[in-house]
């Protein structure tokens, strides 16, 4: 019953730890070493004691003695003293004599022998405490082996006492000890029932319980008055430790449903004290009975997980909005309560039970591991985890995840945020870091505003957002400010935004020479600040204004940012380089860029070294790789024409302008025109219909002419594609 | 409808136990009986399942149950107490939807504790565990059931403002009346099937025959019937009788040969073994109408022919009745029997329904079930739906609609149809961009339990959006109602549709067929259409089939001829996630139906396309152009290049290419930019 491989291992490890330990003490709290005479005088006091009689101390016994020593303290707490009696060689009493084989320990109450234990059964401190208490609690704790035994107890307890049914893997395990220690305290309050039979668990319909270590079921029999009815049961979902059991029993003892009229903010309940949430269901006089029943249903389902209280609205003078029907209070102090409108019991339950199973024990792919590591380095206060929606499809559905992969950030007390950008470490890191501050930031002093603008305020974040946006409003511009706040929230994670709307906003207005309301753009890299007037702009407009201001005037095109520029629907004037921009390029290009003439174009540059796919693009334009630098005009949106600045000319302001004018006048020829071909299926599909027809012609089995079946099809069978019917354009016409 | 309109929102939202029954009918001029929008007859698995859906949707409903607790059928049946519905506790997977594919006993709910595996460890569970489970299901979900209420009469009462033009008036055994707008009949098949023949009075019924094997010791037993109840009875007494003979009209149908779980299950077929191993037991094919039972002078039962009995004198004793063996002395049933046991199944109780309801029995073998449409609505009365076992006429001997693991889904179908019809709530659906099409289908065929259990009956419907930029996904729609999809679901199917089903091979199984024949498995993707085992099939239509087309489907086809069809090849593990064998052919099929390119691309490839072509594939358009896409890192790029999915652009040098100048710009073959199939998933 008690020897399992695990125990042997515990045993061996204790051998290693304890073999060199040696200490002797006479404190009651520890193992007493007594002579037989001393011992027998103690017996007369009528106390309970666990005694080992020893003569020679062999190695095996040393280990036992060490464990016995450890057990002395805990057992003393229950009024049990532990002693080792040193028998003299010549001693010949009953316990010290020859017949004693030194492999037993004895439990006495006064001088009555209650039990003798083989030292094997007392293999460690847990086993000693568990076995001794188990023996003393013989009447309080029923040990059973069959379902029938249990059903008899259950029937006997109905209407009288609740039952704690405990399964442990074996006698003497740490779980067993925890149960015994608890039973010592609660022994009379409940009927404790102990079993080591897993079959019994299955019999009560609890196969899902923890058969590895142990489990505890609380049977609510006291409430059951109808003897044909089963007792409801609640499973302790935590491991069997003294603390967990104690806490659990306390929760089971708490009233199922309480009623209050006070302010939930000020109420303290046993659940809150134990770190569990409290749910207040609001009720009024005319619906009281029904609300109470609802609350009871909720309470039963949340038993052991949260407290439920009926808040009587009519008899309280609380100012709670009329439509609110549930208040949710967390155990954490200082966290305000949530006022909720919930439409069914399940939503109340899910408030408490909405914990997401997270799968993180699976071996993470090398790629993701690398990314995670980088992210972990950048963001230390966040836990990264993955959910495989293939396994947890119900969780993903609940989270409204329909495309993969999706990254969501969950923060206590906040709505989850979905990351909508590129799957790229730097971008994600930026998003996470910028999400760390509450955008837009409220700036309250002029000094703070200056710090914000010169990048001091969020120094560590300016590398993620090279532009900080500050909205300035006079204190009366309420609507304008609200629009800006909405825009700032929308851009959260992408750019730092802040606003200033104090009385002295005019100081900033004067300093940056703008009339209010206005936006200031502090470009930290360039070290300059521009301003834009905001007149009659709603949140959407403001978002557009900010987004536009974030675009560079002569940007480097990368894989990540191209879509932003493509959205502007203008031809791209791209300078291909195989390195970074040099001073000369800038000297030629920057004045050009600022000219009105180029407003219809997007002048930009591309570094084929950092964006190697640029070479592929050049190869597509030229069929080979031309020498760089090279200037190309790509008109993606009207004709798809690509023109190249003549290779034999120097790239300078004057020549470029001239070339652009000649292009416009149609004097320059294009090097290529981009294909406007649709993206068709790359390969044909298996035509199963024709294969079936080849076996059994459909016309033979059809009871209906096929043509009618396809009446909304413009032409014939689509899958004749792979038969080479080139006139088949059906898919295109019909969908 | 809200009988307590005017009360605070709090009451309506919080009170699950609202006493609807106390509210008089809200329809002026209607009866004075208490009114509910939905009345469910019977608190068995189907009734409770429906009640849960109605409760969740906040509908006014009541379940009326004759017994004092749910699942009363299971308190008595099966007589030998072993359920033959499997209770598979382990599948090695955590996907709860997938696990329902192998859980034949649980009802649908979001409560993880209400899974049958928590109620029994037995693979074939004890019937009392089902009773306990159903009790818990009703309690934990707070279902509104009126027990001890036996409805003895159901009639119609016309009313112009009633949802269906009439109310259902129910009368219970105490004479109390109830009025309902919609009636959901979930009373199962409760009446033992009896066949009237000469001497049928000597026959004992399955419902009352002793289940103590000792009572059969040393007896000759004749069992009438060929179903699971007959074999279950035989199995129980096999070792105590002299021999058992079984008589039935048709040849034996083994469920593993027919894929129909209502046919004889292997767990009950011990007698087949002892018959074929010459141990005195045996099977005989004969129509029960062609036999007669007479008692001989020793009180034992003799089998004879009706014609011989009729010829004999009416008052003659058995000895005087000529027996077949008088003429044919090797007549098979010439031995006297100590007992004849009737195990002929059960019939729906039609007796409580007034004729005006027109609830008629089906035809032929389906006569034990009421006649209903594929939407589970009665053919005769609008607003009367049949749920559960009694609704099995829809898929009798085909799918699982007569069993818990099937009708839990069809009850949901009925609920969804009603939500649309009476509450304007369209059939639930999700809208996706077209780039998710392959993924979504793959996910469903790998986990969906409704498609799997109710194969060929329920199907997922994919309604394409204009220009196929996106699609709407509807789960588990009754396939035979496809023509009426728009009116029944409130969803539009104007731009073409896919229908996703699960099917067995058309000619694979049947009572005479060798389902274990060599080479039965199809491996080759090209032969997927010949797959024998349950596998996904996808139909493509340009428009919804008409009712006429549905009615004239070719034999063996669940749907009319589509524009194109795709079979995903059967899989030994029913795991259709193999990139080459399962996903790629599916994607090609979808691409060819939609005439587009559904591959996924790295952001870098999209970048190249954006600057070298005027049009982008859907994946780049939907993802990359919205600043989304896989950038990856150096490692990923290397992987892409090494596996030939991407070109190594850094290796392009300045050597002029061989291509003739003036060629249209065709950069690299697009397929080289596809991300690997795995990454596409």
């Amino acid at each position: 019953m008690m020897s399992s491989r695990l125990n042997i291992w515990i045993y061996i490890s204790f051998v290693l730890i304890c073999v060199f330990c040696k200490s002797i003490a006479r404190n009651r709290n520890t193992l007493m070493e007594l002579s037989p005479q001393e011992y027998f005088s103690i017996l007369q006091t009528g106390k309970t004691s666990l005694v080992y009689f020893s003569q020679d101390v062999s190695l095996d016994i040393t280990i036992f003695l060490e464990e016995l020593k450890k057990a002395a303290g805990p057992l003393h707490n229950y009024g049990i003293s532990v002693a080792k009696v040193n028998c003299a060689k010549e001693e010949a009493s009953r316990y010290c004599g020859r017949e004693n084989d030194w492999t037993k320990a004895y439990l006495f109450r006064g001088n009555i022998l209650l039990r003798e234990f083989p030292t094997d059964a007392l293999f460690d401190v847990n086993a000693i405490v568990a076995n001794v208490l188990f023996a003393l609690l013989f009447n309080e704790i029923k040990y059973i082996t069959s379902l029938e035994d249990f059903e008899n107890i259950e029937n006997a307890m109905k209407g009288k006492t609740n039952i704690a049914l405990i399964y442990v893997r074996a006698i003497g395990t740490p779980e067993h000890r925890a149960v015994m220690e608890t039973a010592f305290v609660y022994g009379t309050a409940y009927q404790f029932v102990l079993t080591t039979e897993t079959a019994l668990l299955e019999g009560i319909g609890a196969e899902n319980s923890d058969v590895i270590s142990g489990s505890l079921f609380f049977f609510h029999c006291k409430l059951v008055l109808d003897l044909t009815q089963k007792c409801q049961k609640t499973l302790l979902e935590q491991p069997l430790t003294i603390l967990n059991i104690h806490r659990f029993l306390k929760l089971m003892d708490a009233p199922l449903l309480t009623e209050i009229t006070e302010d939930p903010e000020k109420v303290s309940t046993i659940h809150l004290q134990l770190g569990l949430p409290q749910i207040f269901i609001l009720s009024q006089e005319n619906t009281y009975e029904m609300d109470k029943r609802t609350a009871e249903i909720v309470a039963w389902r949340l038993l052991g997980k949260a407290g439920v209280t009926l808040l009587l609205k009519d008899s309280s003078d609380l100012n709670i909005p009329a439509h609110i029907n549930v208040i949710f209070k967390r155990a954490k102090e200082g966290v305000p309560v949530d006022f909720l409108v919930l439409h069914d019991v399940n939503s109340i339950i899910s408030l408490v039970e909405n914990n997401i199973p997270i799968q993180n024990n699976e071996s993470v792919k090398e790629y993701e591991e690398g990314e995670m590591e980088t992210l972990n380095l950048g963001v230390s206060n966040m836990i990264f985890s993955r959910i495989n929606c293939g396994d947890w499809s119900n969780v993903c559905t609940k989270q409204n995840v329909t495309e993969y992969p999706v990254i969501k950030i969950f923060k206590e007390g906040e709505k989850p945020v979905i990351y909508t950008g590129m799957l790229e470490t730097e971008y994600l890191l930026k998003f996470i870091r910028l999400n760390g501050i509450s955008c837009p930031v409220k700036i309250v002093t002029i000094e703070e505003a200056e710090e914000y603008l010169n990048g001091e305020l969020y120094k560590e974040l300016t590398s993620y957002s090279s532009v900080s946006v500050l909205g300035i409003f006079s204190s009366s511009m309420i609507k304008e400010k609200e629009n800006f706040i909405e825009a700032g929230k929308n851009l959260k994670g992408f750019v730092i935004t802040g606003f200033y709307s104090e009385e002295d906003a005019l100081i900033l207005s004067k300093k940056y020479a703008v009339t209010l309301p206005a936006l200031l753009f502090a470009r930290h890299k360039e070290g300059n600040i521009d301003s834009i007037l905001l007149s009659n702009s709603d949140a959407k407009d403001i978002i557009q204004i900010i987004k536009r201001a974030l675009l560079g005037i002569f940007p480097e095109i990368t894989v990540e940012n191209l879509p932003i520029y493509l959205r502007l629907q203008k031809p791209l004037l791209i300078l291909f380089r195989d390195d970074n921009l040099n001073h000369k390029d800038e000297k030629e290009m920057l004045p050009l860029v600022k000219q009105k003439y180029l407003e219809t174009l997007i002048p930009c540059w591309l570094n084929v070294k950092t964006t190697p796919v640029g070479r592929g693009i050049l190869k597509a334009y030229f069929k080979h790789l031309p020498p760089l630098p090279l200037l190309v005009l790509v008109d993606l949106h009207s004709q798809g024409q690509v023109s190249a600045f003549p290779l034999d000319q120097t790239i300078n302001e004057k020549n470029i302008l001239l070339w652009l004018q000649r292009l416009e006048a149609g004097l320059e020829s294009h090097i290529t025109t981009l294909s406007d071909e649709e993206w068709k299926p790359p390969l044909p599909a298996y035509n199963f219909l024709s294969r079936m027809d080849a076996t059994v012609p459909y016309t033979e089995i059809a009871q209906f002419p096929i043509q009618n079946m396809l009446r909304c099809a413009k032409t014939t069978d689509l899958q004749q594609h792979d038969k080479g019917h080139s006139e088949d354009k059906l898919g295109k016409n019909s969908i | 409808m809200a009988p307590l309109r005017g009360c605070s929102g709090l009451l309506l939202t919080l009170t699950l136990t609202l006493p609807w029954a106390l509210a008089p009918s809200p329809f002026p001029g209607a009866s004075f009986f208490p009114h509910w929008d939905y009345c469910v007859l019977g608190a068995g698995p189907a009734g409770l399942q429906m009640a849960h859906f109605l409760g969740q949707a906040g509908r006014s409903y009541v379940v009326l149950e004759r017994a004092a607790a749910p699942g009363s059928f299971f308190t008595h049946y099966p007589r030998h107490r072993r359920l033959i519905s499997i209770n598979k506790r382990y599948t090695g997977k955590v996907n709860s939807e997938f696990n329902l594919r192998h859980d034949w006993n649980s009802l649908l709910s979001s409560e993880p504790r209400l899974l049958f595996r928590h109620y029994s460890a037995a693979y074939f569970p004890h019937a009392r565990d089902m009773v306990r489970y159903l009790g818990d299901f009703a309690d934990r979900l707070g279902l509104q059931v009126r027990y001890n209420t036996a409805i003895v009469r159901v009639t119609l009462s016309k009313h112009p403002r009633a949802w269906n033009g009439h109310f259902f008036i129910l009368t219970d055994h105490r004479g109390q009346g109830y009025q309902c707008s919609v009636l959901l009949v979930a009373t199962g098949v409760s009446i033992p099937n009896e066949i009237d023949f000469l001497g049928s009075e000597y026959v004992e019924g399955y419902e009352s025959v002793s289940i103590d094997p000792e009572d059969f010791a040393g007896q000759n037993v004749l069992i009438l019937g060929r179903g699971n109840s007959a074999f279950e009875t035989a199995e129980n007494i096999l070792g105590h009788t002299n021999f058992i003979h079984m008589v039935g009209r048709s040849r034996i149908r083994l469920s593993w040969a027919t894929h129909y779980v209502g046919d004889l299950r292997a767990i009950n077929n011990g007698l087949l073994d002892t018959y074929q191993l010459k141990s005195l037991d045996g099977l005989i094919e004969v129509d029960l109408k062609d036999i007669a039972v007479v008692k001989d002078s020793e009180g034992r039962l003799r089998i004879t022919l009706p014609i011989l009995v009729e010829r004999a004198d009416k008052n003659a004793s058995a000895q005087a009745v000529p027996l077949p063996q008088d003429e044919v002395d090797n007549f098979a049933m010439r031995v006297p029997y100590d007992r004849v046991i009737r195990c002929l199944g059960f019939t729906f109780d039609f007796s409580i329904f007034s004729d005006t309801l027109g609830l008629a029995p089906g035809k032929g073998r389906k006569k034990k079930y009421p006649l209903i449409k594929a939407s589970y609505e009665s053919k005769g009365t609008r607003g009367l739906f049949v749920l559960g076992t009694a609704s099995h006429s829809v898929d009798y001997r085909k799918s699982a609609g007569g069993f818990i693991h099937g009708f839990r889904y069809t009850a949901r179908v009925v609920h969804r149809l009603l939500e649309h019809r009476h509450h304007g709530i369209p059939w639930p659906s999700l809208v996706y961009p077209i780039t998710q099409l392959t993924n979504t289908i793959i996910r469903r065929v790998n986990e969906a339990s409704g498609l799997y259990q109710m194969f060929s009956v329920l199907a997922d419907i994919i309604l394409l959006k204009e220009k196929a930029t996106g699609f709407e996904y509807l789960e588990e729609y009754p396939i035979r109602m496809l023509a009426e999809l728009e009116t029944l679901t409130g969803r539009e199917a104007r731009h073409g549709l896919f229908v996703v089903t699960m099917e067995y091979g058309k000619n694979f199984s049947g009572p005479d067929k060798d389902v274990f024949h060599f080479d039965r498995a199809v491996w080759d993707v090209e032969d997927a259409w010949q797959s024998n085992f349950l596998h996904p099939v996808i139909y493509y239509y340009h428009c919804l089939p008409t009712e006429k087309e549905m009615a004239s489907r070719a034999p063996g086809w669940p749907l009319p001829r589509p524009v194109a069809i795709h079979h995903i090849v059967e899989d030994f593990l029913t795991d259709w996630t193999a990139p080459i064998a399962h996903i790629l052919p599916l994607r090609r099929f979808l691409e060819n139906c939609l005439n587009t390119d559904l591959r996924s691309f790295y952001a870098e490839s999209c970048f190249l396309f954006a600057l070298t072509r005027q049009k982008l594939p859907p994946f780049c358009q939907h993802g990359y152009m919205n600043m989304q896409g896989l950038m990856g890192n150096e490692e990923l790029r290397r992987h892409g290049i090494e596996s030939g999915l991407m070109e190594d652009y850094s290796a392009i040098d300045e050597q002029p290419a061989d291509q003739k100048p003036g060629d249209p710009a065709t950069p690299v073959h697009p397929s080289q930019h596809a991300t690997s199939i795995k990454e596409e998933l």
Side-chain angles (χ1 to χ4, degrees), chain A residues 677-690:
Chain A
E677 214 188 318
E678 296 283 347
W679 286 80
K680 292 284 172 65
L683 286 166
Y686 297 116
N687 189 341
F688 287 144
L689 269 190
S690 74

Side-chain angles (χ1 to χ4, degrees), chain A residues 15-45:
Chain A
V15 170
L16 297 174
I17 296 165
C18 300
V19 78
F20 302 109
C21 311
K22 225 176 190 181
S23 79
I24 296 165
R26 281 214 166 225
N27 191 322
R28 284 274 186 107
N29 233 335
T30 57
L31 181 67
M32 295 184 285
E33 289 213 33
L34 307 168
S35 70
Q37 290 71 28
E38 286 173 304
Y39 168 66
F40 284 111
S41 62
I42 282 184
L43 279 188
Q44 304 311 318
T45 62

Side-chain angles (χ1 to χ4, degrees), chain A residues 403, chain B residues 432-436 469 616-628:
Chain A
E403 294 177 45
Chain B
Y432 300 84
I434 202 71
T435 49
Q436 294 296 318
T469 50
L616 286 176
F619 185 86
C620 295
Q621 225 162 34
H622 173 75
Y624 181 68
M625 291 307 282
N626 289 317
M627 295 290 290
Q628 289 164 6

Side-chain angles (χ1 to χ4, degrees), chain A residues 205 207 237 287 290 294 301 343 371 390 393 420 423 559 615 621 623 639 675 679 693 708 712 717 735, chain B residues 11 13-15 95 111 113 117-118 447 543 549 561 563 594 611 614-615 624 628-629 633 649 657:
Chain A
E207 317 72 26
E237 289 177 5
T287 61
M290 289 168 277
T294 306
R301 289 185 52 188
H343 293 276
E371 299 302 290
S393 59
T420 53
L423 289 177
V559 173
R615 290 170 195 266
Y621 293 163
K623 321 288 172 248
Q639 306 284 313
S675 154
W679 286 80
D693 287 349
N708 291 4
C712 62
D717 192 339
I735 51 177
Chain B
L11 173 73
T13 54
L14 258 183
T15 314
N95 185 321
E111 180 81 57
R113 286 183 178 217
R117 64 184 162 91
H118 301 316
E447 70 174 25
C543 51
E549 285 165 355
R561 185 177 170 90
V563 177
L594 303 175
L611 287 173
Q614 291 193 44
K615 287 181 175 140
Y624 181 68
Q628 289 164 6
N633 52 14
Y649 299 108

